[in-house]
Amino acid sequence: MRRTGVLFVCLGNICRSPVAEGVFRHKVMAAGLESRIHIDSAGTGTWHAGKPPDPRTIRTAAARGFDVSTLRARQVSATDLLQFDHVLAMDRSNHDALLRLSPPAHRHKIALFMEYAPHTGFREVPDPYYGDDSDFEQVLDLVEAAADGLLARLKGQLS
Ligand code: 4NP
């Protein structure tokens, strides 16, 4: 059976999208759906390619039981738009970059991740890179909420 592909995208692929990948994978495994959903993350920029997540990302995720230490950053490519079913941007800037990158026929796959958690009042996951620990905690809060909404939506589509 073909797996549904979900790609999380931010700027550097060392703060927000690795958290989204780790948190969503954790929830998908807890739901027993890992054979049905393929999960990855990438960044629109190249600077951090090959690097592990930011130490603050690893630490705040680990404190909530999510291990993202083995992830490595990579840049998103046009091929990703062909291969994934859902390409979820952390903020509007990432969203716009993905629209520019995507072949026109695949643009419908691109959305803001926070659309899956409208009750939070956030439309974007704010970039924590120049922030402090509270900004990284906020990334975890928002990502956990949107991951729950996304999983609920995909469960409905898979069953
Ligand atoms: P991310 O955070 O997009 O959530 O991975 C950032 C990481 C690095 C930079 C900016 C944002 N940077 O400017 O290097």
Side-chain angles (χ1 to χ4, degrees):
M1 195 183 299
R2 190 183 171 280
R3 292 198 293 173
T4 298
V6 178
L7 181 68
F8 298 104
V9 178
C10 63
L11 177 59
N13 194 207
I14 57 168
C15 297
R16 293 165 292 174
S17 60
V19 169
E21 178 181 348
V23 168
F24 190 58
R25 179 170 292 123
H26 188 97
K27 291 178 184 292
V28 164
M29 289 183 73
L33 290 172
E34 62 271 23
S35 65
R36 307 288 308 278
I37 304 175
H38 173 61
I39 307 162
D40 199 2
S41 67
T44 60
T46 56
W47 318 285
H48 302 282
K51 298 274 174 57
D54 186 287
R56 298 165 294 177
T57 302
I58 294 174
R59 194 175 64 238
T60 47
R64 298 196 194 191
F66 305 109
D67 179 12
V68 298
S69 64
T70 59
L71 302 180
R72 294 295 177 266
R74 71 173 180 88
Q75 188 177 31
V76 66
S77 72
T79 307
D80 288 317
L81 273 302
L82 306 181
Q83 293 179 341
F84 284 87
D85 302 287
H86 302 275
V87 181
L88 302 177
M90 297 298 128
D91 64 29
R92 288 187 184 82
S93 170
N94 313 145
H95 187 269
D96 291 350
L98 288 168
L99 287 177
R100 288 193 295 274
L101 178 70
S102 178
H106 296 267
R107 285 189 186 132
H108 65 278
K109 299 172 175 178
I110 301 166
L112 284 169
F113 184 35
M114 289 311 298
E115 285 178 16
Y116 291 95
H119 63 281
T120 61
F122 281 77
R123 300 228 45 216
E124 306 180 286
V125 182
D127 182 350
Y129 190 65
Y130 294 104
D132 60 22
D133 280 359
S134 68
D135 298 289
F136 282 82
E137 294 292 346
Q138 182 185 55
V139 169
L140 263 297
D141 291 342
L142 294 176
V143 163
E144 287 198 69
D148 285 336
L150 175 62
L151 183 58
R153 187 83 62 90
L154 290 186
K155 270 184 183 167
Q157 292 172 6
L158 291 172
S159 59

